[in-house]
Amino acid sequence: MPLVGCLVPICAQLHVCNTDTGEFDVYGDDDTTSPHNPKSVRHIIENLLNSLQLSFDVLTIVHPGHRDVDVNEIYTMAHGYSMDVYIIPSLMARFMAVFSQLKLTLHKFWSFAMITHAAGADCHVIRSFARDTGGFKVVQDTYQHPGVVFDPTKFTCKPEKVVYVTFEYGHPGRPVHHDYPVPLPEGYPFDRAHFRDFASMLFEGGLAKARQIVGHGRFPLMADFVDTIAAVVNGETYHIFKLGYPIPAETKFRKMLKSKSVVQIKSGMMLIFDGICMKRISLPMHRGNYPPGYVEISISVDSYGLVTFMDASPTDSGSAKSPLVSAGSPLPLKSAKVQKESSESMPPVKRTVVSAPVEVKEPWKYQNVIGYEFMSTKFILHDDDGTPIEVAADGVAEIEPGTPLTSTLVHDHIEAVFSRLPRSAADANVLVISHDGNCSSSWIGIAVDVASFYLSLEAKVYVIYDTIAYSRVALRHLNWSPSDGSDTVFLVMVNGTYCRYVILERSKESGFGWGIVESVKLSFATTSELANLLSSALDRYPNTTTRLLLTDRAPLSLQQQTAKLSIRILRVKSFDTALMEGILDFADSVADSDVPGYRRQRDITSPVYFKQDFGAMQELANDGEVTFSQNVMVDPSLGGFKVFQRISTFSSYQYVLFEASAVPEDCNSVQVIINNEPFSFPIVRIVPSMNNADPMITFKSHMPTEISASSSVASLQSMVEEKPKFVKPLLSKEETEAIRYKHLKSAGAEISISFDIASSTAVIDFVGKTGFEVITDWNGNKNIPFVVSFANESPSVGVSALVDFKEHPDRVVWDLFHILGRNVNEVIVNPKWTFDIMEATRFDNTAMIAFETTKGRVMTAPSGITAMFLRAIQKLVVAKTGINPRRFFFHVPPLSTSRVHAMVKEACNVAGITFSGSNNLKSS
């Protein structure tokens, strides 16, 4: 998950959230109640970011509305440390902060008023614009005089509820009175959001917005809007945009001036932090002196929230004024992409995020090319704007992982895919096929032959390894030039606990094209171990200062370790996306005859190995020539042999070039002849002649399989369709069952419940007079799903709860053993969960579960939901046996902590049953 942060340019602080762990950190000055000089904050923050050596995915900058704050300057500086930088107005931050505190109640209301307790009270009315999406927008603002009773009828949109925003401190050490300055009509619903001080609220809201942007936590959508923009002429105010107007927006201000006038365009109604009080001000954005006559000023707010003014009126000298961009605009709400400095208006382009600024990534240039990942069902093409997209071959089924591959299967699958080639790609002049080396080179040859049949006669087919595609992504983000001006790049690719580093070099002989001259696969258990391995590798390349690490996850520990080695992190959305971009970028480079040499690629010269079935592996001499041969001694008694390479990025797959099932008895040596044209597939010939057999290879994803941190009910839908899997008995032998029975009888247990964390099911044993009786559900299932549904008035469990998941997925809760007894930062969130994990209170981070019910959204302790499951089991036993059991014993998953066992005991207390003990906790 990403690393996000928030800056408020009146405070020398940086607030950080590591979404991998859920941890929050604050760096810099401890005091937020005493604002710094805005002109000095920029340097303080920059020094802080430099010292931390962190690489962010998103940084939000909350515009405080202060006249002296140059947010654009801080915004530009921040791009050296973050992939995306968002400028948000204080009102957006205030809304996000309030909602993060009151999210369980506000979503029930169609509209509400937010009254900020200050010297007086600012009031903003916020309403839902699409109830199904949970989105809100600001529709009205006003000033509430202290002591005057709140009158909801004077608003165009009558608020259903009032939220008071109050603070603990104003001036350093000086408390704010906690009485509410604006009284409400009797019985009017209200709530309260309380913060330490105004700046703390902005930090909390800005960080909440950053988390929302990267998809961490559930927050409402707040529609991007224009703040109030007005023109002031000779003391009279003319509104141009009113608060809440959606962006992008464009209009013109026209006015006939009778005498020489000063025209000011202001963005106003902003809150600033000024000691104990927050004052309303209008932030000057544009000012000009105009002679008598007609004045016309064009004002536009783009989709990134940036405000631009174009003055079309004649000046005193008669010349037109040039475009003027607001230097202190508080409006940007989306990521304003960095633009190249140019006299012309350039489209926004993205910057790479590292610990120091790097070059701008080159925009996509459209070429008529196709990319294809071997054995997939999708083509990689250019969208209308040139960006890479995937287009599926309709009606072609995916190859399931584990499927044995054969030449026939490969042929039929490739033919099925390319026979559905999109019409827009039928006349492509380049096809690039990428693979990760878990196949046979003869199969790649089949793919090339079949695909060529469906392309134009002029089309060329290139074959590359996935590692080349990933290196293209890294070089593209460097804009094809190392930051130190050298011809060498040290590139590390990290996926989970798998890693490969490569050395990229430019060669003058190949027109300064890039090639991989060394490639080494590593595996590690901790980031410290990875750092030691990379440090040893860098000892052999001490002069390589351009060092990049490509990854889709960058926990804080990884960032800290790589910063020590001066390795900058380049975060990608996913390796699948990076592969897609790299394949298409390579295709563009070979399709464009005018592409400069430094964008061209040299193929990898990878070692070739020879091994008999029961013999030792030996490396063949490969001098990099297109064709080379070598005599190899063989022993028929050692079985057949295999010629292969190891080119997979993150695994040890074998790329089989030739395989013989046996060696003739009279043969003691073979000549291996390999023809390896660049960007093709190796062709191997053996003398004396032998047949090339299909290797025994099963289809695998190009990514290594990793164990999910939370397996649980991987697909509730499939569990509804299929009978739940049986849990493996804890003790299967007759004699050990007798021991277990004796133990449970001595504990006084009447019911034994055995939970299985992998299938999220439970086996119920009734402890009878002579032995166990398995209690099944009404469908005869021995394994009862440990799932609870709140789709109806009364909770239901087991298969009934799974059935409810079809129509009401947000009302079903499962995976409780991944949540019981844990704090929020200890819970590893399963992306398939349809419920939320939340802190119990602001001061208690015990994990709670928030979910929908028939009566609205509620938040409940996991032990409480477990208690509902236990009550249902108790009722089932009564119905099946006629006996009402009171004493329960639990077999909890062996890796569960003592806190989990304690929470099971707490669930018994809530359910009104007796806890007889568990496999790690005795009864009391």
Side-chain angles (χ1 to χ4, degrees), residues 313-467:
S313 306
T315 62
D316 290 330
S317 60
S319 60
K321 295 187 178 180
S322 58
L324 176 63
V325 179
S326 167
S329 170
L331 302 179
L333 302 175
K334 296 182 179 179
S335 174
K337 312 300 182 187
V338 175
Q339 298 187 17
K340 293 182 180 180
E341 292 184 3
S342 170
S343 58
E344 299 178 354
S345 176
M346 297 292 290
V349 293
K350 209 169 192 176
R351 291 194 68 161
T352 305
V353 184
V354 290
S355 56
V358 297
E359 294 77 3
V360 178
K361 190 173 81 170
E362 181 181 8
W364 286 97
K365 182 178 180 181
Y366 182 86
Q367 297 291 338
N368 191 10
V369 298
I370 310 172
Y372 177 69
E373 183 187 342
F374 180 65
M375 295 303 288
S376 72
T377 60
K378 297 177 181 178
F379 301 101
I380 305 169
L381 306 172
H382 282 291
D383 203 354
D384 292 338
D385 61 353
T387 55
I389 58 170
E390 288 184 322
V391 177
D394 294 334
V396 182
E398 297 274 358
I399 302 294
E400 292 293 329
T403 302
L405 295 181
T406 63
S407 298
T408 302
L409 177 61
V410 171
H411 179 280
D412 292 347
H413 180 77
I414 300 298
E415 185 172 51
V417 172
F418 276 84
S419 64
R420 293 163 173 81
L421 188 68
R423 290 184 179 181
S424 59
D427 59 346
N429 52 18
V430 165
L431 166 65
V432 174
I433 300 176
S434 182
H435 67 95
D436 198 40
N438 179 42
C439 58
S440 165
S441 64
S442 62
W443 296 344
I444 300 297
I446 292 173
V448 171
D449 291 342
V450 173
S452 299
F453 178 80
Y454 292 94
L455 300 174
S456 65
L457 295 176
E458 297 78 18
K460 296 182 179 179
V461 181
Y462 296 79
V463 177
I464 65 172
Y465 309 145
D466 288 357
T467 303

Side-chain angles (χ1 to χ4, degrees), residues 820-873:
L820 274 167
R822 289 173 169 82
N823 295 327
V824 169
N825 58 355
E826 296 173 328
V827 176
I828 301 176
V829 176
N830 186 337
K832 296 176 181 174
W833 287 350
T834 52
F835 49 87
D836 291 325
I837 304 300
M838 303 184 63
E839 295 178 343
T841 67
R842 291 189 65 197
F843 309 102
D844 180 4
N845 65 347
T846 301
M848 304 284 281
I849 302 176
F851 52 91
E852 296 293 336
T853 69
T854 56
K855 298 180 180 179
R857 193 167 178 80
V858 299
M859 183 172 73
T860 305
S863 57
I865 300 175
T866 304
M868 298 175 191
F869 181 80
L870 296 180
R871 287 197 200 102
I873 295 301

Side-chain angles (χ1 to χ4, degrees), residues 501-711:
Y501 78 81
V502 298
I503 304 298
L504 294 161
E505 276 189 0
R506 263 192 308 213
S507 170
K508 295 181 180 179
E509 288 74 17
S510 61
F512 292 97
W514 287 98
I516 297 175
V517 296
E518 182 174 338
S519 178
V520 179
K521 177 182 171 293
L522 303 172
S523 61
F524 61 94
T526 65
T527 51
S528 298
E529 183 182 350
L530 173 63
N532 292 333
L533 293 170
L534 296 180
S535 178
S536 299
L538 284 168
D539 287 342
R540 296 186 291 111
Y541 298 93
N543 297 324
T544 302
T545 58
T546 300
R547 305 169 180 181
L548 289 179
L549 186 144
L550 190 76
T551 183
D552 62 342
R553 282 169 287 180
L556 193 58
S557 57
L558 179 63
Q559 297 185 45
Q560 292 170 339
Q561 293 290 348
T562 54
K564 296 175 183 177
L565 299 174
S566 299
I567 298 176
R568 297 177 290 177
I569 292 180
L570 171 60
R571 173 140 183 175
V572 294
K573 183 178 181 180
S574 69
F575 275 97
D576 288 329
T577 302
L579 182 67
M580 181 175 69
E581 290 189 7
I583 293 173
L584 207 60
D585 183 78
F586 175 84
D588 286 343
S589 70
V590 295
D592 185 1
S593 58
D594 296 326
V595 70
Y598 60 78
R599 275 201 56 198
R600 296 199 177 277
Q601 183 85 36
R602 305 196 309 274
D603 201 1
I604 301 176
T605 301
S606 183
V608 179
Y609 302 97
F610 181 96
K611 186 182 182 305
Q612 283 195 260
D613 294 342
F614 303 100
M617 183 175 68
Q618 55 182 307
E619 182 177 341
L620 304 184
N622 184 357
D623 55 6
E625 295 295 326
V626 172
T627 302
F628 72 95
S629 66
Q630 183 173 334
N631 289 327
V632 182
M633 302 300 295
V634 294
D635 184 346
S637 65
L638 297 179
F641 64 85
K642 186 185 295 184
V643 182
F644 63 92
Q645 294 176 303
R646 295 189 185 276
I647 60 172
S648 175
T649 308
F650 298 114
S651 70
S652 299
Y653 299 151
Q654 293 181 354
Y655 182 37
V656 180
L657 311 184
F658 191 94
E659 184 167 358
S661 57
V663 174
E665 292 186 3
D666 58 348
C667 180
N668 56 19
S669 70
V670 296
Q671 183 183 17
V672 181
I673 305 171
I674 301 177
N675 182 275
N676 192 10
E677 293 285 343
F679 303 116
S680 183
F681 54 95
I683 299 175
V684 177
R685 186 162 58 91
I686 304 296
V687 179
S689 179
M690 299 181 189
N691 292 328
N692 187 9
D694 258 356
M696 299 294 293
I697 297 176
T698 58
F699 178 72
K700 297 183 179 68
S701 168
H702 70 280
M703 286 291 136
T705 302
E706 296 187 20
I707 298 176
S708 172
S710 175
S711 51

Side-chain angles (χ1 to χ4, degrees), residues 766-827:
F766 176 72
V767 184
K769 292 183 178 180
T770 58
F772 296 113
E773 177 188 345
V774 177
I775 304 297
T776 62
D777 65 11
W778 297 109
N779 297 314
N781 294 319
K782 171 184 173 182
N783 298 75
I784 300 175
F786 186 17
V787 181
V788 182
S789 167
F790 300 89
N792 303 300
E793 291 295 327
S794 300
S796 59
V797 304
V799 174
S800 297
L802 296 180
V803 173
D804 288 341
F805 185 81
K806 284 186 173 182
E807 295 186 3
H808 303 286
D810 56 347
R811 299 182 185 181
V812 178
V813 177
W814 72 98
D815 251 5
L816 287 165
F817 272 105
H818 291 286
I819 308 168
L820 274 167
R822 289 173 169 82
N823 295 327
V824 169
N825 58 355
E826 296 173 328
V827 176

Side-chain angles (χ1 to χ4, degrees), residues 76-97:
T76 303
M77 176 271 296
H79 262 284
Y81 305 88
S82 180
M83 183 178 296
D84 275 314
V85 180
Y86 288 65
I87 303 175
I88 65 174
S90 63
L91 181 56
M92 172 71 81
R94 290 166 58 202
F95 170 82
M96 296 300 295

